[in-house]
Amino acid sequence: MANRTPTLRQLQIFLALSEHKNISRVAETLHISQPSVSIQLKNLTDVLGMQLYNVNGRSVELTEAGEATVKSAREMFFSLDKLHIELDDLKGIKSGVLKLSVVSTAKYFLPILLGQFCKRYPLIDVELNVGNRQEIIKRFNQNKDDFYVFSQCPESDNLIAEPFLDNPLVVVAPANHELTKKMPISLNRLAHYPFLLREIGSGTRRCIDDFCKLHKIKLKAKMTIESNAAIKHSVAADLGLAILSSHTLDYMQDSSLAILDVEHFPLKSQWYLVRTKNRNQTALAELFHEYLQNEGLSTLQKIAKTKA
């Protein structure tokens, strides 16, 4: 038993199982047959000598031993990735995979940062995951990525957060809305109009709810929508007003929408670059962090200023 070690393939399959909780889905994701998945999982169980998961209908649940195996497997693959990056760095080659996970609103500006970064270092690959707040928090808790981008950081003792960009929230209306001709606008007046709001739990919604509580106002929520793009289209169709990050408007032309001059707006917020304390930064992650501090923000500011 002491000389028997799991293969990397077995661990890769088990990590996929821990994520998808379904053997058929693992086979589909990894492009191998379902019997092959089952055989590899059985061999892994035999090697480790403990039950790693239990089957419950079509789903599986990891045992305590399975959770420990997942933790060690992630650490092992991370160490291998770090080794490849460091070896390439010794050769003078900036290459490897930079892993980033961001909440959905950040997708409006992060590709601009990454575009310049990838031009500078063409051998680098980027794995960019975009999701809602809960999805990105889940990845953070699983320590899957080099960095995460949040407008409101999750509560965790395993967190290092660095504010790197302002995230002002603005009130948006159709370009021909009556309020565009009657600015500035008081909060009391604003409260008479229907609003399209982000889902409860999103960073934007949490900021809005805190603001309303502070100023003792209640917005007329007509619709809850999980997509900023869908909210913008709905506002343009005159279904209601919305409060959005200015970054959803800053880097593109959109003559169908107008930003209203409202009392106490824009709301002040920040974007945070977040990483876990227990993940050692690779040379590639440090390179991206350095780029963000020295060049990335000025790139965004230049583009925002040239917006039509």
Side-chain angles (χ1 to χ4, degrees):
M1 178 62 187
N3 295 324
R4 301 179 72 188
T5 305
T7 66
L8 291 179
R9 186 58 166 169
Q10 289 169 351
L11 293 175
Q12 180 192 34
I13 290 173
F14 191 66
L15 283 177
L17 183 69
S18 72
E19 181 173 351
H20 299 293
K21 301 293 193 300
N22 180 280
I23 291 177
S24 297
R25 185 76 180 96
V26 171
E28 179 183 341
T29 301
L30 298 182
H31 306 291
I32 56 179
S33 68
Q34 187 171 329
S36 295
V37 171
S38 299
I39 290 171
Q40 293 280 23
L41 291 173
K42 181 182 183 302
N43 290 342
L44 177 63
T45 300
D46 292 342
V47 165
L48 297 180
M50 294 188 70
Q51 188 69 23
L52 302 179
Y53 63 93
N54 295 310
V55 179
N56 183 10
R58 294 186 177 181
S59 176
V60 302
E61 295 181 359
L62 299 190
T63 63
E64 188 174 349
E67 295 288 357
T69 302
V70 166
K71 182 175 182 295
S72 293
R74 285 184 181 138
E75 291 172 352
M76 186 179 302
F77 281 110
F78 173 73
S79 294
L80 287 173
D81 288 342
K82 183 179 178 184
L83 174 62
H84 288 304
I85 292 171
E86 290 178 348
L87 290 176
D88 286 339
D89 199 46
L90 288 173
K91 299 174 188 175
I93 302 173
K94 299 295 185 183
S95 66
V97 179
L98 178 69
K99 297 183 179 181
L100 304 173
S101 279
V102 305
V103 293
S104 56
T105 305
K107 70 183 179 183
Y108 289 94
F109 63 84
L110 200 66
I112 298 171
L113 293 174
L114 291 174
Q116 295 299 319
F117 182 69
C118 291
K119 284 181 182 178
R120 177 73 58 83
Y121 305 104
L123 297 178
I124 287 174
D125 292 324
V126 178
E127 182 182 302
L128 176 62
N129 295 280
V130 180
N132 62 37
R133 176 179 168 82
Q134 293 307 315
E135 289 169 340
I136 304 306
I137 288 177
K138 180 179 178 180
R139 291 188 67 89
F140 170 84
N141 290 333
Q142 294 175 342
N143 202 9
K144 283 192 169 185
D145 306 286
D146 296 307
F147 291 109
Y148 308 83
V149 175
F150 289 100
S151 59
Q152 291 199 3
C153 297
E155 296 180 4
S156 173
D157 295 330
N158 185 33
L159 177 146
I160 298 174
E162 176 183 341
F164 74 96
L165 183 66
D166 290 338
N167 181 34
L169 302 184
V170 296
V171 182
V172 180
N176 60 353
H177 195 276
E178 63 180 14
L179 287 179
T180 60
K181 303 174 179 63
K182 301 175 182 179
M183 297 190 280
I185 304 160
S186 70
L187 290 181
N188 287 335
R189 185 173 187 182
L190 193 72
H192 288 87
Y193 291 84
F195 269 82
L196 312 174
L197 299 174
R198 284 294 303 270
E199 74 280 9
I200 294 174
S202 72
T204 300
R205 181 63 179 270
R206 288 157 68 99
C207 189
I208 293 170
D209 289 346
D210 289 344
F211 173 81
C212 291
K213 184 177 180 181
L214 176 64
H215 292 277
K216 298 179 180 178
I217 64 168
K218 185 175 182 179
L219 299 180
K220 294 172 63 177
K222 181 175 183 178
M223 197 180 303
T224 298
I225 305 176
E226 293 190 5
S227 161
N228 287 314
I231 288 179
K232 288 166 61 179
H233 287 305
S234 299
V235 171
D238 204 15
L239 293 177
L241 307 180
I243 299 174
L244 295 171
S245 165
S246 68
H247 293 295
T248 65
L249 309 168
D250 276 350
Y251 311 109
M252 59 191 72
Q253 296 181 351
D254 198 335
S255 59
S256 63
L257 301 176
I259 296 176
L260 299 180
D261 179 7
V262 179
E263 179 185 13
H264 299 301
F265 279 83
L267 302 186
K268 292 183 178 180
S269 181
Q270 287 279 329
W271 286 110
Y272 293 89
L273 188 69
V274 174
R275 66 182 177 92
T276 56
K277 290 180 180 178
N278 61 356
R279 185 182 182 94
N280 294 324
Q281 278 194 298
T282 64
L284 180 52
E286 291 174 356
L287 184 68
F288 177 72
H289 184 254
E290 180 181 338
Y291 161 79
L292 193 64
Q293 289 181 314
N294 297 336
E295 300 177 51
L297 298 187
S298 62
T299 299
L300 287 179
Q301 290 165 357
K302 288 177 183 176
I303 294 176
K305 285 180 181 179
T306 59
K307 181 193 70 166

